[in-house]
Structure formats: C-alpha cells, structure tokens
Amino acid sequence: MTISKTYRTVILTGLLMPMTLFILGCYNGVMQTIYRAGIIHQASVGGINYYQGLTMHGVINAIVLTTFFAVVFGHVTVSYYLKREPPKLTYQISMLLMVIGTLMDLAAMITGKAQALYTFYAPLKDSPFFYIGTALLIIGSWIAFFGWIKIWYDWKKENPETKMPLAVLGTFVNFSIWLICTLPAAYETLIILTPWSLGWTDSINVPLTRMLFWMFGHPLVYFWLLPAYVAYYTILPKVAGGKLYSGNAARLAFLLFLILSMPVGVHHQFSEPVFTPGTKLWASLLTYAVAIPSFMTAFTVGASLEFAARRRGAKGVFSWMWKLPYFEVDRYLFGYFICGLILFIFGGLTGIVNASYTLNQLVHNTDWVPGHFHMTVAGPVILVILGMSLYMYSTVSGKELKFKTFAVMVPYVWLVGVALLSHGLMSGGLMGEPRRTNLGLSYTNPASPLFNQHFVPTTSTTLVGGIIMGAAAIIYFIVFFATAMGKRVNEPQLILPESEELNEERDVPLFNTMKPWLILSIVLVMTTYVPALISVFKYSKAVPNKYQPDSPQNLQK
Ligand code: HAS
C-alpha cells in the first residue's frame, strides 16, 4: 500500500526518535550491572548518578520506546488491514505531543530533576516537567487511537459483513486497555503529583499515589506485550512458512486480556499494609486468571510453528522444532520472534511465582523481580520491537536492510545475554539481594562492613549477561542506523507479512465485538478497586512529606 509523504514522515520519526534514545537507555542498563557487581564503588559516573541512570533506563526503555512502538505499529497494522490512512490531524498532533512530552522527560532526567524511577509514585518527587511530559506522551498516544477509531467506522460502513481483522482487534483491545488504565495515571500525575511538586500542596497521601500508579502499572505491562502478540498471531506464522492454527483462539485471548489486565495491579502491593487480605487474595486469583490468555497463546503459536515445520518437511514428535527458519537471512524476523517466545516461557513462569501471595513475600523487592521482568520486557517485548522496527523502517522508507547477517545474529546474542542476566538476578534475589540498590557502595564492596560474598557470583553473572546484551545492542544499532542512513532503493510502501488462518472456523459473534467485554472489564476493575480505595481512605491520609533527596541525612558521607 502506498502512503502519503506526511504519514510516512510521522511513522519514520516514531521509529527513529525512540531508537536513538534507546542508545542512552541501553548504556544506563549496562552501567547498572557494572555498579552492582562492585566493579566501581561510586555514587555516579560521568555526571549521571545511580538513580538518575536507573530512571533513564526504565523510562526510556519501558515507557518511551514501548509507547512509540505501540503507536507506530498500530498505524502500520490498522492502515494495512483497513487500507486507509487515519485523519492527518490526528497522527500529526499525536506524534507532536509524544515528541514534546519525551523531550520534556529527557530534559528533566538529564538535569537530574527526575530520579524517582519509572514507577513515579510518592514519596519520591520528580520535577513537574517530568509529570507533564509523561502526560503529553500518553495523551499523544490516545489521539492516534482516536484516528484509528474514525477509519474503523468508515471501513465498517463499506464492509458491514466483514469481521474486524485480527490485527486490528488486537490493537484496539490494547489501546482500550491503555485508555482506561492511563486515566488513574493522569489523575495521579496531573492532579496530585504536579501541584505537590510545584509546592502548591504540602502534603501527600502516599498509599493513594501508589495505588493509582499500580492501577496503571500492571495493565502497562500488557500494553507492552500485546503488540508482540499481534505480531505472533498475524505475522509469525507467515514468516515461519505456515498458517495461524486458530483465529478464534487468538481473538478470545485478546478479549480475555481486555477484561483481566486491569483489576490485578494490587499484586504489586502485597506488602502494602493498607489493603485487606481479601483484596490481596482477589488480586492474586485474578492474576492467575490473566495468565490464561498467555497459556492459550503458547499453545496456538506453538501449534502454528509445528504446522510450519511440518510443511517444511519435519517428521518427529519433537524434532520439528529444528526445521524452523532460525538463521534464514530473508526471514530474519523469525529469530527476533522465537527468541522472545523462548525467554517468555521463563518470564511467564516466574510471573506465576510472583502472583502467589506467600511466595511473593520471599521475592518482593529483591532482584528476583527484575530477573522476572527482563525475561518479559527484554524478551518478547523488546525483541519484537527490534525486529519490527527494522522491517517497518526499511519497507516504509524504501531503504534496503544493511548488514543482514548481523541482523540475524542480534536476537540470539541478546537471548544469551538476557538468560545470564536474569539468572544472576534471580539467584541473587532468592538470597535476599535487594533490587534498586547501588550494591557497589555496600554489599559488593569488600571495604564495606555490609560486604556479602554470596552476592559476588550472582552480580558477576548479571554483569556478564549485561555486557552480552550491550554487545547485541551495539550490533543492532549498527544495522538499524546504517539502514536508516542508506539510499532509497525501493518504492516506499506500507506492507506486512500476513498470515492466513489454517481452518475456516465457525463465526462466534461474541468474539467479533468488544462492547460486552468492555463492560465486564469495568465491572471487574470495580471489584478490586472499590474495596482498595475504601481501604486507602480508611487507613491512610495525606501527610506532609518529610523526605528530601538532598537532605544531609540522605547524602552519602
Ligand atoms: Fe510481571 C512484576 C506477575 C507477565 C513485567 N512484571 C513485574 C514487573 C514488571 C513486569 C516490569 O504477581 C516489575 C514492576 C516493578 O518495577 O515493580 N507478570 C506476572 C504474571 C504474568 C506477568 C502472573 N510481567 C508480565 C509481562 C510483563 C511483566 C508480560 C512485561 C511485558 N509481575 C507479576 C507480579 C509482579 C510482577 C505478581 C510483582 C512482583 C513484586 O513483588 O514486585 C503473566 O501474565 C505471565 C503469563 C505468561 C505465560 C507464558 C506463556 C508462554 C509463551 C511462550 C510460548 C513459547 C513458544 C515457543 C510457543 C504463562 C506465550 C516454542 C519454542 C520452540 C523452539 C518451537
């Protein structure tokens, strides 16, 4: 499909800008492993302190890159399947707000005015610039969604009998979750945190800000994941040389995410004293339920891969796994997708450990948690972002992919890096190694009375994993930027590999509409958050904030 020059520019900007920032995000990630392994015993390096770097790492990699990608991939999938562009004003304003918001966040982080990590709740305080910038980034992403809704209605008028294409359903489910879950975040940042940060209010209800953040913070992880699932269901079977095993199963999985992604945020707060055991038990049960659509995905995508392998001549019960196009240069996307899936098996299983209230008491706030989330975020999420960014940049710009062999290598090197990093983090976590701590100043510093020799092998494994991930990232940046700087050799076009469904399945009307699922999702959110809110107001209140990061008590001697 040919697209207008303005739309093309917006898509390419939405790929280029976050990818450039991702260099800074990755640098700060590798620095984390260096600090924590005790290679350096300093509070800062090159003018960036530990928490400033950790904030940049989390905000750039997990909020900026993922949101830009969801929007750009949404533009590409929705336009490709509905064969039209969204209204120009929507995609232009959306991108403008996202770019301005990101620049504000970046300015606040680089100047050290935002160091409260990517989980921006009180009592840590950021500059109002950061809160407003983040709000603009989010509002910009909403506007892109409004543009897609408009073209969906236009398309539906012309195609009343055709059901919503699967990729469009996945994208709409994702952005509906996003729209609902960002409302508490918008309230938290704009109504509570910004006035507090400007000094207009001098007291703050800490548990309330934490609850509002996690109402957003858990659905956020599915907002990262669902673009990857759209790619797994609608692109991967084709790239593997097969077909999608069941379209209905895929539709049901997306719709289950719509109802179950939002009411589970309290599982990040099992240690929070304000919530009742009943609320925590309910959140735990719903968290097990939200794993179901991922189990379904494992089976549907697994069956699609087996079908592809058998089509390529595979025979045995398990040996079909070797008949997939792991290293084929023309199918380089396959490596990014499969490595993400392999990591996600372990990312998902560790998530199920976290969901248990009792086991959570052992792992909460230890390095186990970043071990879990690197196999999810740095697994399927980032790997699909990396692969699809290469694909979309080269097709939409008409430029040829450069250094193809390198492009094929990247996901495998990355996989080894993430596996080692997460193994080091999780084994340390089980021994109580704390997360979000500059261990090089204490537990991994032989000169410190807190030195703990058990954390040396675990943080060293994490360091090796981090360095391997850094090497994979460097190879990737060479491929991406060489492609972006290359000459146009093909006609620019908006195109996607499109998987067919294996069987013509019976139409299930409930799978072709989002309305009942949306209503159910709001009901389920209320079942968790009405009792949670009652507890917050019953057991906590706004108090003056005594914590100041630059107070002499908090400065390192
Ligand atoms: Fe999580 C904490 C529970 C999924 C991200 N999670 C986090 C944090 C992040 C995060 C960032 O219950 C830390 C937040 C912070 O900073 O404090 N998580 C879960 C559960 C799931 C889960 C039950 N998490 C994710 C995903 C994330 C993510 C997805 C990002 C994208 N998580 C928790 C809990 C905590 C938590 C607690 C709080 C911990 C604490 O105490 O602080 C589930 O959704 C997971 C279900 C997944 C599966 C896996 C399915 C496997 C598939 C692969 C199939 C492979 C194939 C390949 C087909 C059941 C789909 C075949 C191979 C061949 C070779 C052919």
Side-chain angles (χ1 to χ4, degrees):
M1 170 186 168
T2 322
I3 54 170
S4 66
K5 198 165 167 231
T6 341
Y7 197 30
R8 199 167 67 221
T9 311
V10 162
I11 291 177
L12 296 180
T13 310
L15 290 170
L16 209 51
M17 174 166 173
M19 202 50 84
T20 310
L21 293 183
F22 189 46
I23 299 175
L24 191 59
C26 289
Y27 162 77
N28 282 300
V30 176
M31 284 310 295
Q32 280 294 307
T33 63
I34 294 175
Y35 278 114
R36 295 170 54 89
I39 305 296
I40 47 176
H41 309 295
Q42 291 161 221
S44 67
V45 171
I48 300 180
N49 78 47
Y50 176 84
Y51 285 104
Q52 197 180 355
L54 184 52
T55 304
M56 280 192 219
H57 175 58
V59 170
I60 293 175
N61 295 12
I63 296 190
V64 173
L65 178 68
T66 48
T67 308
F68 270 88
F69 179 77
V71 167
V72 169
F73 187 53
H75 281 323
V76 172
T77 44
V78 175
S79 295
Y80 176 75
Y81 282 96
L82 303 184
K83 297 287 172 269
R84 63 200 74 204
E85 292 181 17
K88 194 169 170 179
L89 212 58
T90 58
Y91 64 73
Q92 278 184 319
I93 294 180
S94 148
M95 190 52 66
L96 190 68
L97 290 182
M98 289 173 64
V99 169
I100 295 173
T102 303
L103 291 177
M104 287 174 73
D105 280 357
L106 194 64
M109 290 187 295
I110 286 182
T111 53
K113 304 273 186 245
Q115 323 188 5
L117 311 175
Y118 87 104
T119 46
F120 38 85
Y121 46 69
L124 297 184
K125 195 191 274 179
D126 280 328
S127 134
F129 232 64
F130 178 83
Y131 297 131
I132 297 170
T134 306
L136 289 181
L137 173 69
I138 292 173
I139 294 167
S141 66
W142 290 348
I143 295 175
F145 182 33
F146 300 150
W148 305 333
I149 296 177
K150 157 89 179 66
I151 56 172
W152 152 251
Y153 277 111
D154 296 346
W155 181 87
K156 195 64 194 163
K157 263 189 221 139
E158 289 165 26
N159 305 273
E161 299 308 320
T162 319
K163 61 183 178 190
M164 190 185 250
L166 179 59
V168 178
L169 176 75
T171 308
F172 275 32
V173 162
N174 197 25
F175 275 78
S176 303
I177 296 173
W178 183 238
L179 195 60
I180 301 174
C181 82
T182 43
L183 294 175
Y187 185 85
E188 186 215 357
T189 48
L190 296 179
I191 311 290
I192 305 182
L193 296 178
T194 304
W196 174 62
S197 154
L198 284 165
W200 297 345
T201 49
D202 58 3
S203 58
I204 189 125
N205 186 332
V206 172
L208 176 65
T209 65
R210 273 209 290 259
M211 191 205 76
L212 290 170
F213 178 84
W214 285 119
M215 260 179 105
F216 152 79
H218 194 79
L220 170 71
V221 312
Y222 295 116
F223 175 71
W224 301 334
L225 182 71
L226 289 197
Y229 273 19
V230 169
Y232 287 151
Y233 282 123
T234 66
I235 299 176
L236 175 62
K238 172 81 176 173
V239 173
K243 293 186 180 184
L244 174 62
Y245 190 72
S246 167
N248 274 348
R251 280 170 193 275
L252 179 60
F254 282 128
L255 292 164
L256 286 175
F257 275 115
L258 183 55
I259 57 172
L260 293 165
S261 299
M262 279 174 287
V264 294
V266 169
H267 72 217
H268 292 265
Q269 299 184 273
F270 283 146
S271 309
E272 182 86 54
V274 293
F275 299 122
T276 61
T279 306
K280 291 177 186 174
L281 174 68
W282 183 230
S284 184
L285 292 175
L286 288 173
T287 306
Y288 287 121
V290 76
I292 293 172
S294 285
F295 277 120
M296 291 170 61
T297 303
F299 287 111
T300 311
V301 173
S304 310
L305 291 176
E306 180 176 349
F307 175 77
R310 298 210 182 280
R311 240 187 177 187
R312 295 160 65 91
K315 291 273 183 299
V317 178
F318 295 112
S319 54
W320 58 266
M321 289 186 197
W322 305 115
K323 269 279 185 196
L324 291 164
Y326 293 99
F327 298 106
E328 288 181 21
V329 171
D330 293 338
R331 295 175 193 247
Y332 66 90
L333 278 178
F334 185 83
Y336 290 83
F337 290 4
I338 195 78
C339 290
L341 282 169
I342 292 169
L343 284 170
F344 196 45
I345 296 174
F346 303 97
L349 294 178
T350 47
I352 289 167
V353 169
N354 300 344
S356 145
Y357 176 78
T358 37
L359 289 177
N360 189 275
Q361 302 307 304
L362 178 72
V363 298
H364 183 63
N365 271 344
T366 72
D367 267 341
W368 170 276
V369 176
H372 154 65
F373 72 66
H374 277 86
M375 293 185 297
T376 54
V377 192
V381 174
I382 290 294
L383 282 168
V384 168
I385 292 180
L386 297 185
M388 286 310 297
S389 295
L390 283 181
Y391 181 86
M392 292 191 293
Y393 203 98
S394 64
T395 49
V396 172
S397 66
K399 295 178 178 179
E400 202 190 350
L401 180 68
K402 291 280 167 36
F403 305 117
K404 290 185 181 149
T405 312
F406 279 180
V408 173
M409 278 166 52
V410 168
Y412 299 98
V413 182
W414 182 265
L415 170 98
V416 173
V418 177
L420 282 172
L421 177 112
S422 287
H423 176 70
L425 286 168
M426 289 191 303
S427 47
L430 290 177
M431 293 189 292
E433 195 179 280
R435 68 182 287 202
R436 295 178 155 173
T437 308
N438 185 349
L439 301 179
L441 292 181
S442 51
Y443 300 110
T444 54
N445 181 357
S448 162
L450 292 170
F451 178 70
N452 182 337
Q453 57 175 342
H454 300 295
F455 295 164
V456 174
T458 55
T459 53
S460 305
T461 311
T462 305
L463 171 72
V464 175
I467 290 172
I468 296 175
M469 286 170 76
I474 292 172
I475 307 173
Y476 178 83
F477 291 132
I478 293 172
V479 177
F480 182 85
F481 290 105
T483 304
M485 284 185 296
K487 281 207 178 78
R488 179 181 297 168
V489 287
N490 299 314
E491 197 48 45
Q493 52 177 328
L494 191 147
I495 186 164
L496 284 170
E498 189 178 335
S499 306
E500 287 169 56
E501 292 180 20
L502 182 57
N503 301 304
E504 206 163 305
E505 292 172 317
R506 194 165 58 88
D507 239 6
V508 181
L510 197 59
F511 295 173
N512 296 326
T513 168
M514 283 173 50
K515 277 191 201 120
W517 301 88
L518 268 170
I519 295 168
L520 189 56
S521 98
I522 308 235
V523 172
L524 275 177
V525 169
M526 310 266 279
T527 61
T528 307
Y529 280 104
V530 169
L533 254 181
I534 292 173
S535 300
V536 163
F537 286 116
K538 189 168 169 193
Y539 299 115
S540 73
K541 59 179 186 185
V543 290
N545 180 31
K546 296 273 191 297
Y547 179 81
Q548 293 298 335
D550 50 2
S551 143
Q553 281 183 335
N554 296 309
L555 290 180
Q556 197 214 338
K557 300 241 166 39

